[in-house]
């Protein structure tokens, strides 16, 4: 049986001294990790990990992209596209990309207009190269849903979905996926969202190195956590663990195409 952590930042420096432990676990437990990037440097690092440790294995997949937090400043979109084209055989998708008004308060140069320019460039590259996308949509689900149909995107996932039920229905009606993380084990709001989701359009994730509280307090966020999420999802949706595992793996396969 296979499991999939659909969103984790394994190229983050917080994981540097844990790579061997995590990679050994992934191989032993058959947990596939989709490594997300946030800028040019993390994209390069993710690709380096892929080539060094999983060159001939699909257990480690790479998404490259520019996170809205890093849309301002010296983003060189031509350099990013050159990287994409030169390493296309090792790149599964484009992510983490999106829009987030939170970051406009932290950096006056990171305007929503600038974020949208970078976001649309990432969508263009995804369309051009027929890649799925992983979306950061905090406080911006409506804006993203307005932009996405302008591009022929193979598949899209609203990572860490935290919107309302009406937008969830809009997302699922368009055939887009949503993902749920370790917070599912202790958040009643997320329980309700999971139950409202199309079961064929959900994935699970950890979003490491983000840390979690309650039962995960103090633990290193790693792909191993997806087993607990799968189990709890099976309880909430009244499925057997085996059936839930198969559904989520099939969903992941369709998302990655």
């Amino acid at each position: 049986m296979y499991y999939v952590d659909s969103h984790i930042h394994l190229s983050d420096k917080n994981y540097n001294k844990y790579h061997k432990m995590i990679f050994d676990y992934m191989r032993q437990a058959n947990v596939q990790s989709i490594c997300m990037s946030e800028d040019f440097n993390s994209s390069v690092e993710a690709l380096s990990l892929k080539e060094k440790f999983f060159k001939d294995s699909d257990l480690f997949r790479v998404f490259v992209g520019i996170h809205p937090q890093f849309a301002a400043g010296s983003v060189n979109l031509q350099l990013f596209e050159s990287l994409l084209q030169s390493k296309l055989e090792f790149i599964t998708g484009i992510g983490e990309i999106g829009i987030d008004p939170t970051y406009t308060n932290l950096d006056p140069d990171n305007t929503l207009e600038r974020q949208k320019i970078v976001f649309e460039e990432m969508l263009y590259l995804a369309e051009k190269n027929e890649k799925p996308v992983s979306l950061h949509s905090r406080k911006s689900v409506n804006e993203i849903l307005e932009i996405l149909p302008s591009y022929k995107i193979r598949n899209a996932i609203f990572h860490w979905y935290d919107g309302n039920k009406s937008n969830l229905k809009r997302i699922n009606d368009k055939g887009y996926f949503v993902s749920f993380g370790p917070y599912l084990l202790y958040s009643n709001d997320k329980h309700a969202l999971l139950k409202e989701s199309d079961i064929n359009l959900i994935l699970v994730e950890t979003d490491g190195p983000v840390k979690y509280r309650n039962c995960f307090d103090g633990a290193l966020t790693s792909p191993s956590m997806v087993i607990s999420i799968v189990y709890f999802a099976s309880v909430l949706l009244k499925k057997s663990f085996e059936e839930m595992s198969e559904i989520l793996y099939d969903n992941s396969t369709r998302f990655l195409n």
Side-chain angles (χ1 to χ4, degrees):
M1 191 172 293
Y2 284 83
Y3 310 94
V4 181
D5 183 347
S6 68
H7 194 109
I8 186 170
H9 299 269
L10 287 172
S11 61
D12 188 278
K13 63 181 181 180
N14 287 287
Y15 284 119
N16 286 350
K17 62 182 179 181
Y18 301 110
H19 280 147
K20 185 180 186 306
M21 178 187 73
I22 291 172
F23 295 162
D24 285 347
Y25 171 81
M26 287 166 53
R27 294 186 182 97
Q28 292 167 9
N30 288 325
V31 177
Q32 182 185 79
S33 294
I34 303 177
C35 182
M36 293 291 155
S37 306
E38 295 185 322
D39 56 15
F40 180 82
N41 289 336
S42 60
S43 297
V44 170
E45 179 61 23
L47 287 164
S48 176
L49 291 173
K50 170 69 175 176
E51 293 187 67
K52 183 177 180 180
F53 296 101
F54 293 93
K55 189 172 184 178
D56 299 313
S57 171
D58 285 338
L59 280 179
F60 186 100
R61 290 179 178 264
V62 175
F63 275 45
V64 298
I66 299 173
H67 190 284
Q69 182 178 359
F70 304 107
S74 57
V75 173
N76 188 325
L77 295 174
Q78 289 184 328
L79 183 63
F80 185 88
E81 183 171 7
S82 296
L83 172 69
L84 177 64
Q85 297 303 328
S86 66
K87 299 291 184 180
L88 199 57
E89 65 180 302
F90 298 114
I91 296 172
T92 298
I94 305 297
E96 174 180 358
I97 62 174
I99 302 169
D100 188 339
T102 305
Y103 298 117
T104 62
N105 299 324
L106 303 176
D107 181 353
D109 293 326
N110 196 359
T111 62
L112 286 179
E113 290 72 20
R114 176 60 182 169
Q115 289 184 28
K116 288 179 181 179
I117 289 171
V118 173
F119 177 50
E120 295 209 44
E121 178 65 19
M122 295 295 105
L123 291 177
Y124 164 74
L125 292 176
E127 177 186 72
K128 178 181 177 181
N129 295 284
E130 299 184 322
K131 301 293 185 182
V133 298
S134 184
L135 303 167
H136 178 103
S137 60
R138 182 169 56 182
K139 300 180 181 179
S140 60
V141 173
N142 287 322
E143 291 82 354
I144 289 176
L145 283 173
E146 289 176 4
I147 294 171
L148 267 182
S150 301
Y151 296 85
K152 295 178 181 178
I153 300 300
R154 173 172 288 182
N155 279 314
I157 183 167
F158 283 71
H159 126 79
W160 193 316
Y161 182 71
D162 194 31
N164 56 43
K165 292 180 181 179
S166 61
N167 275 340
L168 175 62
K169 186 177 187 307
R170 291 173 65 197
I171 289 168
N172 283 169
D173 285 348
K174 291 180 179 295
Y176 301 142
F177 294 78
V178 293
S179 58
F180 296 89
Y183 49 73
L184 188 66
L185 274 69
Y186 54 80
S187 170
N188 291 331
D189 290 344
K190 300 303 182 295
H191 297 173
L193 286 175
L194 178 71
K195 291 176 181 178
E196 290 288 329
S197 301
D198 184 330
I199 195 170
N200 297 308
L201 293 171
I202 59 174
L203 280 74
V204 294
E205 62 165 274
T206 63
D207 199 20
V210 172
K211 293 184 178 180
Y212 299 89
R213 53 190 174 86
N214 288 21
C215 53
F216 297 110
D217 190 30
L220 171 71
T221 302
S222 77
S224 62
M225 289 182 178
V226 298
I227 309 297
S228 297
I229 307 169
V230 173
Y231 173 74
F232 201 73
S234 74
V235 173
L236 288 172
L237 298 178
K238 299 180 180 179
K239 304 286 183 183
S240 70
F241 176 76
E242 290 75 15
E243 184 180 6
M244 194 76 247
S245 299
E246 290 177 4
I247 290 170
L248 291 170
Y249 183 71
D250 288 345
N251 291 353
S252 299
T253 301
R254 283 187 290 104
F255 169 64
L256 298 173
N257 201 25

